[in-house]
Amino acid sequence: MTLDQLRIFVAVAEHGHMTKAAELLGISQSAASAAIRALESQHGVRLFNRVGRNIELAQTGHRFLPEAKAVLERAAAAHNVLEHVSQTVTGSLSIAASQTIASYWLPRRLASFHEAYPAVRLSVTIGNTRQVEANVLDGRADFGLVEGRTESDILRRATVDEDRPILVVARSHPEIPMTLAGNLDIRALRWIIREGGSGTREALEDFARSEGVSPAELQIFLVLPSNEAVRQAVEAGAGATIISELVVARSLAEGSLRSVPVDLPKRDFAMIAHRDRQASLAQMALKAHLTGKADLQPTGKG
């Protein structure tokens, strides 16, 4: 039994798909299949059931999975000890980031980090805030970057930047009516929003509540899974949205969108990490690169 076999087994178990696991690990599908077959044959067990073109954990696989993860965590801890002794910044880092951060804020910063630490291999997965939090909690990501609130009290959280949400409509959108109190009548708008669990949707819901409007009272016209889809739908005149200024800066400059003056609070871009996992030198180097701080302080909900 080798560490590589364990890594492949855990990846296949978590993703339920041989090809996806192989792609994540940077190996061929045949190499992943061979590693699983070798592990099974070496110990005379069946770890997966093959159901048509899909695979699922067998009973033995379910029992083995937490033990395999524990071995990999101990191996990573041992690697960290040697790394700290040698003070060599190497290894790999897995980052989970929400869409706005991953697409508009992170790439240039990772490029500059790579120039400073070329021996560190970086990988990024993208999801909404809730998905990023789950990836950090279960160990699929070394740390996460989010713009929404997190819920778990076993995460450490540090602000890395600020973001400005803005309300935008198409250039041709009619003027928005006002309430008797002199505020925008947000109930009169057709809204295009992100899916539940995203920080972008959270910003709209917070704004509605600050205006004394329940999110359930809003006219939700479209729910879309990406910032780009939301931006294009708004440009097409389908409705209004609240979204990061980073996402729509070019559209505003080109005139396909216009912003609606409204007082929206800035929100934090935050880095989250598991409180109980020891950070490697590479992780600490990237944290310092993004935050300008050497460590993350424990927080609860934020």
Side-chain angles (χ1 to χ4, degrees):
M1 183 186 303
T2 68
L3 291 177
D4 283 341
Q5 287 175 332
L6 293 182
R7 290 189 186 96
I8 293 168
F9 164 73
V10 170
V12 175
E14 289 182 338
H15 294 278
H17 198 282
M18 194 73 70
T19 302
K20 289 181 181 177
E23 289 175 353
L24 281 172
L25 294 171
I27 61 175
S28 67
Q29 187 271 340
S30 59
S33 297
I36 296 299
R37 286 197 302 271
L39 193 58
E40 290 177 325
S41 63
Q42 286 167 10
H43 300 279
V45 297
R46 180 184 292 275
L47 298 172
F48 294 96
N49 293 320
R50 279 71 176 176
V51 183
R53 300 181 63 182
N54 298 319
I55 59 174
E56 58 184 29
L57 275 174
Q59 183 176 1
T60 302
H62 278 290
R63 294 177 59 189
F64 183 54
L65 181 58
E67 301 300 329
K69 286 183 174 181
V71 171
L72 292 175
E73 288 180 2
R74 291 301 303 159
H79 173 81
N80 289 346
V81 170
L82 296 179
E83 189 180 59
H84 280 270
V85 170
S86 69
Q87 292 295 300
T88 302
V89 182
T90 61
S92 60
L93 289 176
S94 58
I95 305 160
S98 53
Q99 285 192 20
T100 302
I101 294 174
S103 300
Y104 298 94
W105 185 87
L106 188 59
R108 291 180 182 273
R109 289 165 173 83
L110 290 187
S112 62
F113 177 81
H114 179 68
E115 289 181 4
Y117 301 98
V120 178
R121 184 168 62 88
L122 303 168
S123 64
V124 179
T125 57
I126 302 175
N128 62 38
T129 294
R130 209 57 60 230
Q131 292 165 338
V132 171
E133 181 177 12
N135 285 348
V136 174
L137 288 171
D138 66 18
R140 282 180 287 177
D142 294 316
F143 58 85
L145 291 160
V146 297
E147 70 261 16
R149 289 185 289 269
T150 47
E151 298 180 346
S152 174
D153 60 2
I154 62 172
L155 292 175
R156 291 178 291 171
R157 182 180 174 109
T159 299
V160 296
D161 208 344
E162 285 186 332
D163 181 43
R164 181 183 172 221
I166 58 176
L167 196 164
V168 293
V169 295
R171 179 175 53 188
S172 59
H173 192 282
E175 291 300 317
I176 302 171
M178 308 295 287
T179 66
L180 293 176
N183 298 323
L184 291 175
D185 186 359
I186 61 175
R187 292 183 181 88
L189 286 169
R190 293 199 310 174
W191 290 96
I192 301 164
I193 64 174
R194 285 278 307 281
E195 77 286 355
S198 72
T200 300
R201 178 164 176 166
E202 186 178 273
L204 170 60
E205 293 175 345
D206 286 348
F207 171 62
R209 294 186 188 99
S210 73
E211 294 291 301
V213 177
S214 166
E217 297 178 75
L218 299 177
Q219 295 185 59
I220 306 300
F221 175 63
L222 278 174
V223 179
L224 296 170
S226 74
N227 290 325
E228 286 303 301
V230 169
R231 178 186 60 79
Q232 291 186 36
V234 174
E235 285 184 350
T241 197
I242 288 176
I243 199 165
S244 169
E245 187 177 30
L246 294 174
V247 177
V248 295
R250 178 174 295 181
S251 297
L252 291 170
E254 294 174 348
S256 57
L257 291 176
R258 62 180 174 88
S259 62
V260 178
V262 65
D263 186 20
L264 290 168
K266 292 183 178 180
R267 61 182 181 176
D268 291 340
F269 283 169
M271 175 181 287
I272 57 174
H274 198 290
R275 184 184 62 198
D276 299 329
R277 294 195 178 98
Q278 181 182 8
S280 66
L281 281 180
Q283 290 173 33
M284 289 190 290
L286 183 54
K287 289 172 186 175
H289 186 78
L290 296 180
T291 67
K293 299 177 181 179
D295 198 7
L296 299 174
Q297 297 304 312
T299 67
K301 295 181 180 180

